[in-house]
Amino acid sequence: MKFLSAITSPEPRSGAGNISRGYLALFATVIIWSLPSLFQFYLLRYYDVWAQNFYRYSVACIAIAPFVAFRVRRGGGPRLDLRAFALCLIPAVPNVVHQITQTIALFYIGPGVYAIFTRSSVIMTALLALIFFPEERHNLRQWQFQVGTLLGLLGAIGVFWFQPGANTGHVAIRGLLIAFIATTCWALYGVLVKRPSARLGSIRSFGLISFITSVLLFPLTCAFGNVATPAEVSWFVNFILAISAITCITMAHVLYYVAIQEIGVALAQTLQLLCPLGAVALSAWIFGEHLTTAQLWSAAILLFGAFLAMRVKPIAATETAENI
């Protein structure tokens, strides 16, 4: 709570302080978003794909609700009306597809490999940002951003390509296709969420998007999943689900909304290339996945590419996120 307040405190929004706050929020999301695939991979033993995503987002929605109520009660800012609902519905749709497909992909590939593969979203995000947001073109034209993105993607591909069993049919084409759909939808979500977060603020926009996402996931869970799963598993499994929802969805999304307003969508997505490093390390420790020498070199290239991208100096955002 204090951490979120510190990041979104009502300070003057200009100059280096603005950018520093954006990087602080972004690096927090990098740490947190090293964990989702690990949580989801574990929960697949107890929750089906549909129920897992519905309950994770429902918990995230409940967790953010008090902050949304506080903002509304305090007054000021845009109202949460039908126009705001329509604005948040647009990114919520690819978000639903992303949540479902990324969980299904874990049936085919391990959590560490998926965390690496999904970083390829930086290419799609950069292209979408170039189309939708003219203010992002400053970053895309800088050589550090271009070279950093290229090296990061080469490193991510190398970590995937050199994994044991990759050339013996271990990774199914169907799994790669599903992972690609998840990655594309994540990139689309990352771009489309900028407008509602700028108009409504990080807290209100995520509160509304998490509510819409939960509503959209509920009929899917009723049709294809098991709504009664929480009553059929242990309290510890439900506790893990709640922790994953509050940290990986609620906290990370709010911080990410702050980051994309301060340093831009394309740069924020590129620095997410750091996430696979933590995911692979934790997956090796918890689930026994191990990196080969070639994978370690690829990971080093990935890290260096992310470092180059970080050296890009983003222009001041024309739209600002709301304070908590």
Side-chain angles (χ1 to χ4, degrees):
M1 178 63 182
K2 291 182 179 180
F3 179 66
L4 287 174
S5 299
I7 289 180
T8 53
S9 60
E11 298 290 337
R13 306 178 61 76
S14 61
N18 232 18
I19 296 175
S20 297
R21 188 173 80 163
Y23 279 121
L24 181 61
L26 180 58
F27 284 127
T29 64
V30 168
I31 294 173
I32 295 172
W33 273 339
S34 298
L35 305 175
S37 60
L38 302 176
F39 279 120
Q40 291 172 308
F41 186 75
Y42 171 80
L43 289 171
L44 278 175
R45 304 173 183 177
Y46 309 98
Y47 275 80
D48 61 75
V49 171
W50 315 95
Q52 179 182 151
N53 284 286
F54 167 66
Y55 283 109
R56 288 180 74 242
Y57 252 87
S58 296
V59 171
C61 182
I62 294 172
I64 199 67
F67 299 101
V68 176
F70 175 77
R71 294 299 303 173
V72 172
R73 185 167 57 250
R74 199 173 75 171
R79 298 175 56 187
L80 296 181
D81 51 18
L82 288 178
R83 184 176 180 181
F85 181 88
L87 191 64
C88 291
L89 177 62
I90 296 173
V93 173
N95 186 37
V96 169
V97 178
H98 164 69
Q99 296 300 325
I100 295 297
T101 51
Q102 75 166 343
T103 310
I104 295 177
L106 294 173
F107 284 111
Y108 300 93
I109 55 180
V113 174
Y114 176 79
I116 296 168
F117 185 85
T118 193
R119 292 309 110 201
S120 62
S121 64
V122 295
I123 293 180
M124 184 64 69
T125 302
L127 294 176
L128 292 173
L130 178 64
I131 295 172
F132 287 102
F133 304 119
E135 66 268 23
E136 296 284 338
R137 295 170 189 172
H138 172 81
N139 292 335
L140 298 176
R141 287 194 294 265
Q142 297 186 55
W143 73 267
Q144 295 100 325
F145 181 86
Q146 296 170 1
V147 174
T149 300
L150 178 61
L151 290 177
L153 289 174
L154 288 176
I157 292 172
V159 174
F160 169 81
W161 183 260
F162 294 114
Q163 78 164 336
N167 297 320
T168 59
H170 176 68
V171 181
I173 297 300
R174 181 182 299 178
L176 292 178
L177 178 61
I178 295 172
F180 176 78
I181 294 173
T183 299
T184 302
C185 288
W186 172 245
L188 186 60
Y189 169 74
V191 171
L192 294 178
V193 81
K194 184 175 183 180
R195 294 303 186 194
S197 67
R199 175 177 172 80
L200 302 174
S202 58
I203 294 298
R204 298 188 194 198
S205 57
F206 176 70
L208 195 50
I209 288 175
S210 63
F211 173 75
I212 296 172
T213 301
S214 299
V215 170
L216 294 177
L217 285 169
F218 180 68
L220 295 174
T221 304
C222 292
F224 306 108
N226 180 13
V227 180
T229 303
E232 299 173 355
V233 299
S234 68
W235 69 268
F236 181 76
V237 172
N238 289 327
F239 174 75
I240 294 296
L241 183 140
I243 292 297
S244 70
I246 294 172
T247 56
C248 300
I249 300 179
T250 304
M251 289 181 60
H253 277 74
V254 172
L255 292 170
Y256 182 66
Y257 288 6
V258 173
I260 63 177
Q261 294 306 313
E262 304 294 1
I263 65 177
V265 174
L267 181 57
Q269 277 283 338
T270 300
L271 290 183
Q272 294 296 318
L273 286 169
L274 291 169
C275 291
L277 299 181
V280 169
L282 289 172
S283 184
W285 177 45
I286 299 173
F287 300 114
E289 289 186 326
H290 297 287
L291 291 177
T292 64
T293 301
Q295 286 178 305
L296 289 173
W297 277 106
S298 298
I301 294 174
L302 187 155
L303 182 60
F304 180 68
F307 172 74
L308 277 182
M310 184 177 63
R311 296 179 63 85
V312 174
K313 297 180 179 179
I315 58 175
T318 58
E319 302 164 314
T320 58
E322 180 184 39
N323 298 316
I324 292 183

